[in-house]
């Protein structure tokens, strides 16, 4: 093997979109391959865990881990890659903040299992089998990784050096992150490798946002014909732009869809959902309780809207267990 | 609000006392609290009052952070409608409060743990009543079993390595 720096790529609880994002580098992937040796990438290359284990600790320049952590196996792999890497990069929204899988934190593991293995219309499971860590089959003991009750972001499991945001990170963001790491001039630990201002600043519709805005009824994208040049908030469509980090070049806006917040918050914001809630409430019409409530009734899923990519990384991290006798004293 | 504070309130021995974080505006509700003090009125010692210039300054993140750090309830206080020192800060506060209440409900938090009241500078009596009511209500609800606070509490031993992961595993053992 050559003297080129070594990197590993791995996926935990994710959809595979982040792997796709690497491939989206297109011909530039050849430049990456010329600069580094990819020694572990289960999606694309046939190296095994033991190959990674055989390397000395700290042998890798960088480990890129995408996906949230929700099983014991994912936790083990995160720890292994952390040990082998000098720089660990949380790649993509799930790894950075918990991502869409993190919405499972609105339920318990038992509720997730019940829905997936019993109640979902597409589930056929007459024997009611649910995953168990250990069971016996034909006289053999078989095991599965355990499934956590709470989905975790990568930095809730291991120390993380850098974050590449996005669902999935765009090719431009990915490429600039790789160049930053290869340059040797590393930004402060904990940096998110993307611009540190709100998406609105990058938005081509920015100038069409009125100074004073009041929305009496929020609209969902399928309910209206969306004007292609006007600020979506001005059209009453909840757009996460004000509370979301820039760097995607407003791709969703270019597709005439609202920002859903995948780049996470800027460095000055601790809780993206809380910040967006604040921004949206401020432009809600009404000055008495019932008028405000009427306007807010047009927002059907506030938690899912404000925390679509970041519930595990938010201040409260998961649903409280005080409902219906689950908690209590 | 460290774990030490939590333990010193006697959570384990049944002598638990709720902690209610209060965000009061400088011009009305905080003055009412002042008046209550100078008038020698008594209210339960469970309130932790934080003064802000305006109820419109209450970023929902403050409330989320209070719950995340183990508060059992949050009380917001501002000027009566029409009386805001900054004209419309309390209207903004009301809008945020109503949306925040929906979000907190979605996150499984009992709605009685958060309350917004308009209390003018002269209403020391109302302040005492509201505080007492709220603290009694929260006491009846019991300790807040919140997301992050709960996750941290279940793994007090781990210094920094992976408290969350440790607790996720702890749950693993606890639930067959």
């Amino acid at each position: 093997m050559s003297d080129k720096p070594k990197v590993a790529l791995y996926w935990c609880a994710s959809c595979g979109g982040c792997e796709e994002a690497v491939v989206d580098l297109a011909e530039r992937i050849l430049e990456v391959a010329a600069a580094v040796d990819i020694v572990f990438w289960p999606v694309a290359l046939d190296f095994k865990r033991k190959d990674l284990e055989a390397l000395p600790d700290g042998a890798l320049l960088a480990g890129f881990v995408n996906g949230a952590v929700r099983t014991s196996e994912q936790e083990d792999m995160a720890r292994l890659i952390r040990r082998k890497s000098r720089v660990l990069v949380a790649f993509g929204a799930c790894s950075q903040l918990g991502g869409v899988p993190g919405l499972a934190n609105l339920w318990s593991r038992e509720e997730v299992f019940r829905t997936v293995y019993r109640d979902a219309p597409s589930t056929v499971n007459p024997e009611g089998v649910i995953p168990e860590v250990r069971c016996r089959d034909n006289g053999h003991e078989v095991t599965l990784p355990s499934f956590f009750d709470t989905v975790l972001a990568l930095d809730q499991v291991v120390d993380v050096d850098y974050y590449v945001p996005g669902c999935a990170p765009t090719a431009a963001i990915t490429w600039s992150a790789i160049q930053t790491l290869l340059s040797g001039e590393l930004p402060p630990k904990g940096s998110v490798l993307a611009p540190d201002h709100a998406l609105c600043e990058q938005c081509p519709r920015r100038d069409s946002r009125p100074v004073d805005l009041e929305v009496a009824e929020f609209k969902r994208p399928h309910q209206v014909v969306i004007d292609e040049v006007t600020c979506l908030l001005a059209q009453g469509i909840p757009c996460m732009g004000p509370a979301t980090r820039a760097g995607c070049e407003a791709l969703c806006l270019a597709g005439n869809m609202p920002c859903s917040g995948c780049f996470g918050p800027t460095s000055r914001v601790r809780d993206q959902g809380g910040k967006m809630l604040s921004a949206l409430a401020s432009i809600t019409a009404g000055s008495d309780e019932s008028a405000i409530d009427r306007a807010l009734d047009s927002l059907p899923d506030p938690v899912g809207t404000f925390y679509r990519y970041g519930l595990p990384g938010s201040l409260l991290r998961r649903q409280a267990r005080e409902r219906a006798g689950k908690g209590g004293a | 609000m460290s774990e030490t504070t939590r333990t010193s309130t006697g959570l384990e021995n049944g002598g638990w006392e709720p902690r209610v974080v209060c965000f009061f505006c400088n011009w009305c509700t905080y003055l009412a609290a002042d008046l209550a003090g100078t008038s020698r009125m008594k209210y339960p010692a469970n309130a932790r009052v934080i003064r802000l210039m305006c109820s419109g300054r209450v970023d929902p993140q403050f409330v989320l952070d209070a719950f995340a750090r183990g508060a059992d309830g949050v009380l917001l206080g501002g000027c009566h409608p029409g009386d805001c020192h900054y004209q419309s800060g309390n209207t903004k506060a009301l809008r945020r409060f109503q949306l925040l209440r929906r979000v907190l409900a979605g996150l499984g938090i009992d709605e009685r743990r958060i309350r917004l009241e308009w209390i003018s500078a002269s209403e020391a009596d109302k302040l005492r009543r509201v505080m007492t009511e709220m603290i009694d209500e929260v006491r009846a609800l019991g300790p807040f079993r919140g997301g992050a606070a709960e996750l941290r509490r279940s793994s007090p031993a781990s210094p920094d390595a992976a408290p969350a992961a440790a607790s996720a595993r702890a749950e693993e053992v606890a639930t067959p």
Side-chain angles (χ1 to χ4, degrees):
Chain A
M1 201 170 272
S2 69
D3 294 335
K4 287 189 286 186
K6 298 178 177 63
V7 302
L9 292 88
Y10 192 70
W11 58 349
C12 291
S14 60
C15 66
C18 286
E19 312 284 347
E20 203 54 56
V22 177
V23 181
D24 278 348
L25 288 172
E27 56 271 23
R28 279 180 297 186
I29 193 119
L30 298 174
E31 285 179 58
V32 176
V36 300
D37 273 332
I38 299 175
V39 297
F40 186 65
W41 189 10
V43 161
L45 304 171
D46 191 22
F47 290 105
K48 305 294 187 201
R49 181 188 164 120
K50 63 176 165 39
D51 301 313
L52 190 58
E53 280 172 335
L55 295 171
D57 287 356
L60 307 177
L61 166 70
F64 291 83
V65 175
N66 71 72
V69 178
R70 72 187 311 189
T71 69
S72 55
E73 182 203 23
Q74 289 158 356
E75 185 187 345
D76 278 352
M77 287 305 295
R79 289 187 192 285
L80 176 63
I81 294 168
R82 170 68 279 186
R83 209 163 64 235
K84 301 297 174 187
S85 310
R86 299 196 288 281
V87 169
L88 183 67
V89 181
F91 189 80
C94 297
S95 187
Q96 185 193 357
L97 298 160
V100 170
L103 285 170
N105 286 0
L106 290 172
W107 293 274
S108 67
R109 169 184 37 212
E110 285 63 38
E111 288 167 310
V112 170
F113 278 1
R114 209 181 305 136
T115 302
V116 173
Y117 295 101
R118 201 191 72 189
D119 297 342
S122 56
T123 297
V124 180
N125 183 9
E127 290 164 43
V129 178
I130 61 157
E132 287 177 68
V133 176
R134 274 188 189 78
C135 71
R136 296 201 67 83
D137 183 56
N138 279 336
H140 297 281
E141 183 176 81
V142 288
T143 60
L144 276 177
S146 66
F147 186 90
F148 297 164
D149 194 50
T150 297
V151 179
L152 306 169
L154 186 63
D155 65 5
Q156 291 168 342
V157 177
V158 291
D159 198 35
V160 170
D161 296 293
Y162 300 111
Y163 302 85
V164 179
C167 180
T170 59
I173 284 284
T174 305
W175 180 239
S176 99
I178 290 170
Q179 283 184 312
T180 303
L181 293 173
L182 288 176
S183 74
E185 287 170 28
L186 297 177
K189 188 181 159 163
S191 297
V192 176
L193 305 179
D196 196 13
H197 50 252
L199 176 63
C200 293
E201 288 191 33
Q202 248 183 16
C203 182
R205 307 178 185 219
R206 182 184 167 192
D207 295 336
S208 62
R209 187 192 191 283
V211 179
D212 283 318
L213 183 58
E214 289 218 328
V215 179
E217 190 189 355
F218 291 99
K219 308 278 193 340
R220 299 166 76 188
H222 66 276
Q223 294 171 320
V224 279
V225 178
I226 305 173
D227 178 83
E228 288 183 18
V229 290
T230 312
C231 170
L232 290 172
L233 286 169
Q235 300 183 54
I237 295 163
C239 175
M240 290 282 284
T244 301
R245 186 184 284 265
C248 62
E249 292 155 87
L251 282 177
C252 292
L253 279 300
N256 211 22
M257 286 292 282
C259 170
S260 56
C262 75
F263 265 54
T266 63
S267 66
R268 274 94 55 206
V269 173
R270 172 61 189 87
D271 189 294
Q272 184 186 17
K275 204 70 202 168
M276 191 60 213
L277 183 174
S278 185
L280 216 58
S282 310
I283 61 166
T284 300
S287 48
D288 64 85
E289 218 167 309
S290 58
I292 297 169
D293 260 335
R294 265 198 309 282
L296 293 179
D297 282 343
S298 56
L299 268 180
D301 178 19
V303 175
T305 306
F306 303 145
Y307 291 102
R308 188 165 306 166
Y309 303 94
L311 188 55
S314 73
L315 281 164
L316 288 171
R317 298 199 352 201
R318 63 157 297 120
Q319 192 184 57
R321 292 160 209 274
E322 58 180 5
R323 255 195 198 165
K326 253 193 277 172
Chain B
M1 266 179 252
S2 62
E3 286 303 322
T4 330
T5 325
R6 168 65 77 170
T7 316
S8 69
T9 59
L11 177 66
E12 274 74 32
N13 62 22
W16 169 81
E17 279 292 318
R19 281 171 307 176
V20 174
V21 176
C22 308
F23 294 102
F24 290 164
C25 87
N26 182 59
W27 305 99
C28 288
T29 314
Y30 193 83
L31 290 184
D34 239 11
L35 181 60
T38 50
S39 317
R40 308 261 173 159
M41 289 179 179
K42 287 198 173 116
Y43 56 75
N46 309 62
R48 308 287 194 276
V49 179
I50 296 171
R51 174 168 63 159
L52 301 169
M53 289 311 283
C54 179
S55 54
R57 177 64 185 94
V58 179
D59 187 320
Q61 291 182 96
F62 298 170
V63 178
L64 296 166
D65 201 26
F67 282 120
R69 288 166 188 248
D72 303 299
V74 176
L75 173 63
L76 313 177
C79 307
H80 282 271
D83 285 350
C84 177
H85 189 79
Y86 307 100
Q87 297 198 1
S88 61
N90 54 1
T91 310
K92 296 257 164 63
L94 176 64
R95 294 169 180 175
R96 292 196 186 111
F97 169 74
Q98 286 184 232
L99 185 48
L100 177 61
R101 206 163 46 172
R102 289 169 184 238
V103 168
L104 292 180
L107 290 170
I109 297 175
D110 193 293
E111 59 175 20
R112 286 165 290 182
R113 293 194 188 276
I114 177 158
R115 186 162 168 177
L116 168 70
E117 287 289 341
W118 309 133
I119 302 173
S120 80
S122 62
E123 294 178 312
D125 222 35
K126 180 174 181 186
L127 179 107
R128 179 173 63 172
R129 178 176 58 77
V130 165
M131 268 192 174
T132 313
E133 269 175 22
M134 171 138 192
I135 287 160
D136 284 349
E137 213 160 41
V138 171
R139 184 180 287 116
L141 284 173
F144 171 55
R145 303 273 174 187
E150 189 63 13
L151 289 171
R152 263 198 301 280
R153 200 173 312 135
S154 56
S155 60
S158 45
D160 62 337
S167 83
R169 277 196 309 278
E171 291 160 14
E172 208 62 46
V173 178
T175 328

